[in-house]
Amino acid sequence: MARLILLLLVLWAGVTVSTVVDLQKRIVRGQPCNNNERQYHVKLSEDLNGDSLVCGGSLISDQWILTAAHCWGPLLFAVVGVHPGNGRSVHHLTGRPVFYFDNQNRLHDLMLLKLPAPVRIPPVALPVCNPLPTINTVQIAGHAAINTGPGNIRDHTTVAPVVRDLHCANINVIQRRWTGTCPLSTYFYNYQDLLCGNTSVVDVSPGDSGGGVVFNNRIYGVNAFTGNSHYACQAPAGFVDLCGGDYLKWIRKVIDPSWIRRFLSCFSG
C-alpha cells in the first residue's frame, strides 16, 4: 500500500511538473525567421551598441524606416541588417521624426525615421490597396519575449524579455475596421484604421511595437499594441492598417517628395 501511494505521488508530481513546463514553453512568437525573409527588419535601441530593445521597424526605402509613433524617444539608434546578421550596422537617428496627423490634427500611431545615409538592404514593398486584397492571415515578427510563464502570464522575471534571433509567426486577421477600434484598446486608437489579429497560441509582446505586418511580401500594417498586457493570447492585438485613411499617400509623400509632383502633373494641362 505504501508503495502504491508513493507511486501515485510520483505520477502526480510528474504530471504537475510537465503541465508547468508546457505552459512556460507556450509559443508566443513562432520560430526563428528564415534567413531569406525579413531582412528589412529594423531594431530600434537606446544604446550605441544596439543591444537594448525599444521597438521594431521596417525599411521601406534605402533610407526610411516605418514604425509606430509611440516608439519615439530622445535617444534612438537603428540597427539595420539585424537579420540574418550580415552587414549589421547601428545608426544614431538624429533627424526629426515625421508623424502622421489626420485632418483634425490627431496623432496616429505611425512614424517615419530617416537614416543618416542610405543602406544597401532591400526594403519591404508597400501595400497594394486598390483593389484591396482579402487578408486572412498576416506575418508578424520581433525580438521581444517568445515565451510566457505559468498560466500564459507575461512574466519578465522568469522569461527573457528579449531574444537574439528575429522570430516570425502567422496570426489570423479577425476583423478589419475602417472606423472604430480593436477590442480593449484605448481612446488613442479609436479614430485610427486598424487590423485586429488573434490566435490561441500566437501573440505580440511588449517591444514588438513598430514591426511590420506582412502579407504576400508586402507591408500592410504596423504593430501597435497588445490586447492584454498581462496575459498572452487572451485578446486581439492591434495593427495600424496602411490601406486605411491617407496613410499610404502620406508615406509616399514623405519618402519621395517628387511622387506628389508626378501625381499632380497627371491632372495638369
Side-chain angles (χ1 to χ4, degrees), residues 43 82-85 88 142-144 146 160-167:
K43 178 183 175 185
V82 68
H83 178 76
R88 182 184 185 275
H143 286 278
I146 60 173
V162 180
V163 293
R164 178 180 177 181
D165 296 328
L166 184 67
H167 276 65

Side-chain angles (χ1 to χ4, degrees), residues 72 92-97 113-114:
W72 171 246
H92 187 194
L93 298 171
T94 57
R96 179 179 297 180
L113 301 170
K114 191 174 185 179

Side-chain angles (χ1 to χ4, degrees), residues 106-126:
R106 297 177 300 189
L107 174 66
H108 290 229
D109 203 8
L110 289 176
M111 174 174 64
L112 286 165
L113 301 170
K114 191 174 185 179
L115 291 168
V119 293
R120 294 185 177 181
I121 297 174
V124 62
L126 292 175

Side-chain angles (χ1 to χ4, degrees), residues 44-268:
L44 297 179
S45 178
E46 291 179 324
D47 64 83
L48 180 61
N49 296 321
D51 295 328
S52 66
L53 175 65
V54 174
C55 278
S58 302
L59 283 169
I60 56 172
S61 78
D62 62 356
Q63 203 168 359
W64 284 97
I65 300 166
L66 177 63
T67 185
H70 75 262
C71 295
W72 171 246
L75 185 65
L76 272 184
F77 295 88
V79 188
V80 301
V82 68
H83 178 76
N86 303 330
R88 182 184 185 275
S89 58
V90 183
H91 305 260
H92 187 194
L93 298 171
T94 57
R96 179 179 297 180
V98 183
F99 299 104
Y100 179 93
F101 290 90
D102 61 26
N103 56 12
Q104 298 184 49
N105 203 35
R106 297 177 300 189
L107 174 66
H108 290 229
D109 203 8
L110 289 176
M111 174 174 64
L112 286 165
L113 301 170
K114 191 174 185 179
L115 291 168
V119 293
R120 294 185 177 181
I121 297 174
V124 62
L126 292 175
V128 174
C129 301
N130 188 18
L132 185 68
T134 299
I135 302 177
N136 297 316
T137 304
V138 291
Q139 187 195 62
I140 53 178
H143 286 278
I146 60 173
N147 298 325
T148 58
N152 233 21
I153 191 171
R154 301 182 189 273
D155 182 6
H156 294 323
T157 62
T158 58
V159 176
V162 180
V163 293
R164 178 180 177 181
D165 296 328
L166 184 67
H167 276 65
C168 290
N170 293 329
I171 190 168
N172 297 334
V173 175
I174 60 171
Q175 66 186 56
R176 189 173 201 154
R177 290 192 173 183
W178 297 99
T179 58
T181 183
C182 296
L184 300 182
S185 68
T186 62
Y187 169 76
F188 174 60
Y189 292 105
N190 286 346
Y191 53 81
Q192 302 185 44
D193 295 311
L194 302 174
L195 293 169
C196 304
N198 188 223
T199 74
S200 61
V201 293
V202 171
D203 201 354
V204 297
S205 295
D208 289 332
S209 293
V213 179
V214 174
F215 172 75
N216 277 354
N217 297 316
R218 292 178 178 271
I219 184 169
Y220 277 86
V222 170
N223 191 339
F225 61 86
T226 60
N228 189 317
S229 60
H230 299 291
Y231 294 92
C233 308
Q234 300 298 309
F239 317 121
V240 180
D241 188 345
L242 296 182
C243 285
D246 291 325
Y247 297 148
L248 191 55
K249 183 177 178 180
W250 165 75
I251 290 171
R252 286 173 169 158
K253 183 178 179 180
V254 173
I255 69 175
D256 183 11
S258 64
W259 174 85
I260 193 67
R261 292 194 293 270
R262 294 195 303 270
F263 177 79
L264 293 175
S265 68
C266 295
F267 300 92
S268 62

